[in-house]
Amino acid sequence: MGRKKMKVLIIGGVATGPKAAARLRRLNPEAEVTIIEKGKILSYAGCGMPYYVSGDVDDCRSLSATAAGVLRDSVFFRNVKNVKVLDRTLARSIDRKNKTVEMVNVETGESSTLPYDKLVLATGGEPVTLPIKGVGLNNVFRLWQPEDAIAMREVVAAGNPETAVIIGGGLIGFEMAEALTRWGVHVTVVEMMPHILPGLFDEEVAAYLTRYIHSQGVDIMVGSRVTEIFGNDEGNVTKVITAGAEIPSDIVLIAIGVRPNTKLAREAGLGIGKTGGIAVNEYLQTSDPDIYAGGDCVENVHLLTAEKVFVPLGSTANKHGRIIANNIMGYKEKFKGILGTGVVKVFDYNVGKTGLTESQAREASFDVVTTLCPATDNAHYYPTHKAVLLKLIADRKTKKILGLQAVGLGETVKRVDVIATALTFGAAIDDLPALDLGYAPPYSTAVDISAHAANILRNKIEGIAKAITPMEVKDKIDRGEDFIWLDVRTPAEYKKERIEDPRIKLIPLGMLRQRLSELPRDKEIITFCKLSLRGYEAQTILDGEGYGDVKFMDGGLDAWPYGVAGDAAFKPTPEESSIRQRAA
Ligand SMILES: Cc1cc2nc3c(=O)[nH]c(=O)nc-3n(C[C@H](O)[C@H](O)[C@H](O)COP(=O)(O)OP(=O)(O)OC[C@H]3O[C@@H](n4cnc5c(N)ncnc54)[C@H](O)[C@@H]3O)c2cc1C
């Protein structure tokens, strides 16, 4: 520890690399620290690129500047950090026996070799390519480096594009759908999977978000695979072809994922994990103890399943950089793993997830119990309150929390972070309502909605609340089953928004006890209201009156993704109504 003379070589100069370099320098003023980076722009916030394209960020250089506005270029690293940067330099091979790295300057072609005591691989990932015709046409983009963002903004700012197709309905796809819509471009997002953001959301939460994105003028095609991109004689893109459609398109963005960049590690004989990322131990050491690796080039351990996963995120890359430096300097620190926490702004919706989705939890063989909880993010009487939908997932046997999905205009990210913290410390659902969370009407509700969702789950596990999900109700309808679908809202609410189905019966909650004679005792009854608070109340009333088969519909009308009728109704798009059919 301390002032050991040592040579540390870092390959990769964006997030993990510079983070490790800066920490190393702070811990050891004597170390010789060198970053090798094949690109020209260093230490940039790739996460900010969609906001440069949208116009929220004026100057792309601010993405690689300090908060004080100083550009983090090689001069900055030399003068301020005493870190040498070899930019425009490609590391070509690692000689582990002699502990050297062979590199080439990509501008001059000059080769050289540098020795190391410790080597850090921060080589990141690379965008997954689409092996189809037309990807080389003009105005077909990927958003990977600042140069891509600059080129894309130039095209949209020139004002010519009217239409865009984004291939890939993931985080970057939807950040960019917003960015392009802001320039007046009509966007269609094409997603191969049965619903959008498949890594973050289960079907019903994705459907809720899909409805909102449609309302912002964006078309979404799920379960669709792009087969070809067409261009004109000038080589400019004109349309995108899927199995069932031709979509006019002046620009195309391919955002179909990232794979780890492991070429150097592989060729040097380092261990590669089953996800394809570099295998590292909890100290972020590769199979060679003098070579560390972190960021998008490595695989991580999922804290809930103990499985190896590849989840490339800047949040993790920065943690890795610091921990690698600590370990190199002898301050032993473990990186225990990740929860797959991800948040994203989609127009005005705050969108996020932590832990496992329901389908991931089932795949991992948990005994899953879930709740869909529509709510307002702060006191319903305070003027800034906004709607959110939470889906909380737990294990019925151990009562351990497994995950949260949260979307809406209201503050969801705080709830995602509360649950991420709870998950990190292995909390059970009983722990959530006991948390001493802050409350004042402009910020939350007296029982925070994360705790409220946990209470519903506790009620379900105890058998007090008997629920059925909207998906299960839809399956029953599709199977033609007979049941009473009891809407316990007021007639005024019914007029405004309603499900139109012959099984529906409207009895407002306040009249329920008086009108029991209208409800047969030998039929299944499914109750609901707007959020299903009254729906749950109705279920307990009917239970108390001796009705044998009563459940409430989880999440109520607000979480029903299949379209409603009425004065203030949302109309389901063909994609929404076909989500389930395509999934099947
Ligand atoms: C548009 C966009 C939005 C994003 N938004 C978010 C977000 O909101 N939140 C979030 O957490 N994450 C986000 N990310 C992900 C985040 O940017 C990455 O996880 C992060 O940059 C990874 O850092 P890294 O240092 O591991 O790798 P990278 O950033 O990929 O950097 C690796 C560097 O290594 C260099 N390199 C590779 N091989 C060599 C070699 N042989 N020789 C020399 N140099 C080499 C590459 O040129 C590259 O510059 C986003 C990414 C993109 C593209």
Side-chain angles (χ1 to χ4, degrees), residues 37-40 87-90 104-110:
E37 167 56 55
K38 72 171 182 249
K40 206 169 176 56
D87 55 9
R88 305 297 285 136
T89 302
L90 174 77
V104 60
N105 182 302
V106 293
E107 275 168 6
T108 64
E110 208 178 303

Side-chain angles (χ1 to χ4, degrees), residues 232-275:
N232 59 19
D233 293 343
E234 286 91 59
N236 297 326
V237 62
T238 55
K239 63 184 173 187
V240 166
I241 314 290
T242 68
E246 292 194 1
I247 316 156
S249 188
D250 302 321
I251 8 175
V252 170
L253 173 70
I254 303 173
I256 55 171
V258 175
R259 66 164 61 100
N261 179 358
T262 56
K263 185 171 182 288
L264 268 181
R266 219 176 264 277
E267 289 173 0
L270 298 174
I272 303 293
K274 68 171 189 186
T275 67

Side-chain angles (χ1 to χ4, degrees), residues 263-306:
K263 185 171 182 288
L264 268 181
R266 219 176 264 277
E267 289 173 0
L270 298 174
I272 303 293
K274 68 171 189 186
T275 67
I278 301 171
V280 285
N281 65 15
E282 50 198 353
Y283 299 103
L284 299 174
Q285 274 166 312
T286 64
S287 51
D288 179 334
D290 289 325
I291 304 181
Y292 291 75
D296 285 5
C297 60
V298 303
E299 63 180 19
N300 284 287
V301 174
H302 198 291
L303 287 172
L304 297 173
T305 60

Side-chain angles (χ1 to χ4, degrees), residues 525-562:
I525 300 176
I526 297 172
T527 63
F528 71 97
C529 60
K530 185 171 166 54
L531 310 177
S532 268
L533 288 174
R534 285 169 288 170
Y536 165 47
E537 191 82 34
Q539 176 241 297
T540 56
I541 291 174
L542 294 175
D543 260 4
E545 293 292 334
Y547 282 77
D549 191 4
V550 190
K551 305 171 190 80
F552 72 93
M553 189 170 77
D554 216 6
L557 203 61
D558 275 8
W560 177 256
Y562 305 109

Side-chain angles (χ1 to χ4, degrees), residues 41 44-46 49 52 60 63-64 143-152:
I41 306 174
Y44 61 84
M49 290 190 291
Y52 172 70
C60 203
L63 303 182
S64 34
L143 187 63
W144 188 243
Q145 284 164 332
E147 291 84 348
D148 302 322
I150 291 166
M152 212 164 168

Side-chain angles (χ1 to χ4, degrees), residues 270-443:
L270 298 174
I272 303 293
K274 68 171 189 186
T275 67
I278 301 171
V280 285
N281 65 15
E282 50 198 353
Y283 299 103
L284 299 174
Q285 274 166 312
T286 64
S287 51
D288 179 334
D290 289 325
I291 304 181
Y292 291 75
D296 285 5
C297 60
V298 303
E299 63 180 19
N300 284 287
V301 174
H302 198 291
L303 287 172
L304 297 173
T305 60
E307 288 287 324
K308 293 285 169 37
V309 287
F310 177 65
V311 183
L313 282 174
S315 46
T316 306
N318 278 284
K319 286 185 209 109
H320 281 177
R322 184 184 163 97
I323 290 177
I324 286 172
N326 287 350
N327 285 320
I328 288 177
M329 289 315 305
Y331 295 91
K332 284 250 165 199
E333 185 175 354
K334 288 181 181 174
F335 183 78
K336 292 193 182 124
I338 61 157
L339 292 163
T341 308
V343 295
V344 60
K345 176 179 174 295
V346 182
F347 293 91
D348 288 331
Y349 258 36
N350 304 305
V351 169
K353 171 253 187 183
T354 186
L356 302 172
T357 62
E358 180 180 352
S359 44
Q360 289 163 348
R362 288 193 191 284
E363 219 168 280
S365 302
F366 286 101
D367 183 2
V368 175
V369 54
T370 71
T371 185
L372 271 177
C373 186
T376 59
D377 62 340
N378 58 43
H380 62 88
Y381 53 81
Y382 191 79
T384 61
H385 75 269
K386 298 199 181 74
V388 296
L389 176 70
L390 305 186
K391 178 170 179 176
L392 187 64
I393 298 151
D395 181 58
R396 191 181 287 276
K397 246 184 259 134
T398 60
K399 290 182 143 189
K400 291 271 183 203
I401 306 166
L402 296 177
L404 177 79
Q405 296 158 56
V407 293
L409 289 172
E411 173 52 272
T412 58
V413 173
K414 162 174 141 173
R415 277 68 191 210
V416 170
D417 285 344
V418 165
I419 300 298
T421 308
L423 287 172
T424 305
F425 296 108
I429 45 172
D430 294 343
D431 298 321
L432 272 184
L435 290 177
D436 189 10
L437 301 177
Y439 163 60
Y443 301 120

Side-chain angles (χ1 to χ4, degrees), residues 52-53 139 141 145-157:
Y52 172 70
V53 179
N139 297 340
F141 295 97
Q145 284 164 332
E147 291 84 348
D148 302 322
I150 291 166
M152 212 164 168
R153 170 130 163 210
E154 262 173 29
V155 171
V156 286

Side-chain angles (χ1 to χ4, degrees), residues 395-531:
D395 181 58
R396 191 181 287 276
K397 246 184 259 134
T398 60
K399 290 182 143 189
K400 291 271 183 203
I401 306 166
L402 296 177
L404 177 79
Q405 296 158 56
V407 293
L409 289 172
E411 173 52 272
T412 58
V413 173
K414 162 174 141 173
R415 277 68 191 210
V416 170
D417 285 344
V418 165
I419 300 298
T421 308
L423 287 172
T424 305
F425 296 108
I429 45 172
D430 294 343
D431 298 321
L432 272 184
L435 290 177
D436 189 10
L437 301 177
Y439 163 60
Y443 301 120
S444 59
T445 46
V447 175
D448 186 70
I449 52 177
S450 52
H452 173 62
N455 280 333
I456 301 176
L457 278 188
R458 291 162 94 194
N459 283 340
K460 283 189 179 181
I461 291 174
E462 301 303 332
I464 302 166
K466 295 171 192 148
I468 181 164
T469 67
M471 269 90 247
E472 287 165 338
V473 177
K474 179 74 165 54
D475 283 340
K476 280 174 167 295
I477 295 167
D478 291 346
R479 288 195 299 266
E481 284 183 26
D482 190 20
F483 57 89
I484 307 263
W485 207 358
L486 186 62
D487 186 341
V488 295
R489 298 172 306 147
T490 63
E493 285 177 283
Y494 180 83
K495 185 169 176 293
K496 214 164 126 196
E497 265 187 322
R498 62 186 169 273
I499 296 172
E500 284 187 338
D501 186 275
R503 302 165 184 83
I504 291 282
K505 184 159 184 67
L506 180 72
I507 305 181
L509 185 69
M511 311 285 290
L512 187 57
R513 288 181 199 276
Q514 290 96 296
R515 291 175 56 184
L516 287 177
S517 60
E518 294 174 36
L519 296 173
R521 288 181 178 271
D522 57 348
K523 248 191 191 175
E524 180 182 11
I525 300 176
I526 297 172
T527 63
F528 71 97
C529 60
K530 185 171 166 54
L531 310 177

